[in-house]
Amino acid sequence: MYAQRRNPATGIDVDRETRKYVINEEEAMVVRYIFSSYADGAGYNQIIRYLNANGYRSKRGKAFGKNSIHDLLKNIRYTGVYTFNMRRVKDPLGNRSNKVKPKEEQIIIEGGMPAIIDKETFERVQIQMRRNRQEAGRKHAHSVYLLSR
């Protein structure tokens, strides 16, 4: 697949000659660490402290933060799936929008780019993220609420 993005994700580069996506092994090592650590139960803060303490930086050269880790963990492209045209940039009135487009408008190509992690690890991380999102409020509640699960 020919590269369309100007700034590919951490761990991915664009070959200048072929204009195809290639794995940047130094950055890919960081991506694999983030996915495996999160899948093994490490939280965002633990991962961020390790990466920043050891001098690792995001693709843009900035220190890792919660948003960059969250976005990285949600990015299906790391499994080798090329995605394009996924979200609306503007709504019908011209206002900014971040809504997902209908499936028939999305471009999804299995094997369209090099895979850094396997699909099983990606799925384990997605399950862990859903579980953590559901459990987050329960850790801070001081009493059981009538309408909670």
Side-chain angles (χ1 to χ4, degrees):
M1 175 59 59
Y2 289 103
Q4 297 288 325
R5 294 177 67 181
R6 290 184 190 178
N7 298 320
T10 302
I12 304 287
D13 284 336
V14 177
D15 185 297
R16 292 183 189 265
E17 293 176 16
T18 63
R19 294 187 52 216
K20 292 188 177 188
Y21 290 114
V22 294
I23 294 177
N24 176 327
E25 280 303 327
E26 286 182 33
E27 293 177 3
M29 180 181 68
V30 173
V31 171
R32 289 182 191 109
Y33 170 80
I34 292 169
F35 271 93
S36 66
S37 296
Y38 194 85
D40 291 339
Y44 288 172
N45 289 332
Q46 183 180 353
I47 295 169
I48 291 166
R49 275 194 299 273
Y50 173 82
L51 293 173
N52 293 336
N54 288 292
Y56 295 110
R57 297 284 178 234
S58 70
K59 189 73 160 186
R60 295 183 176 158
K62 296 182 179 181
F64 282 94
K66 286 184 180 181
N67 288 341
S68 58
I69 298 294
H70 174 81
D71 292 348
L72 190 144
L73 290 172
K74 296 293 279 183
N75 193 343
I76 195 166
R77 290 181 178 198
Y78 289 117
T79 65
V81 176
Y82 178 78
T83 61
F84 184 73
N85 204 32
M86 301 295 284
R87 298 188 177 274
R88 295 189 189 285
V89 178
K90 294 187 177 184
D91 66 11
L93 299 175
N95 299 321
R96 288 178 60 176
S97 173
N98 202 19
K99 293 185 179 180
V100 177
K101 288 186 176 183
K103 284 278 188 201
E104 54 273 1
E105 292 182 35
Q106 299 175 6
I107 298 170
I108 300 171
I109 302 171
E110 291 283 337
M113 57 189 320
I116 294 178
I117 60 156
D118 57 87
K119 291 188 186 295
E120 293 80 23
T121 302
F122 184 80
E123 284 305 316
R124 280 182 38 219
V125 165
Q126 302 314 300
I127 291 168
Q128 184 68 30
M129 289 179 85
R130 282 191 295 272
R131 187 178 303 135
N132 288 349
R133 186 174 58 237
Q134 291 172 348
E135 295 292 327
R138 293 182 187 168
K139 293 179 182 176
H140 300 292
H142 297 288
S143 60
V144 177
Y145 293 97
L146 180 63
L147 299 176
S148 64
R149 299 207 275 146

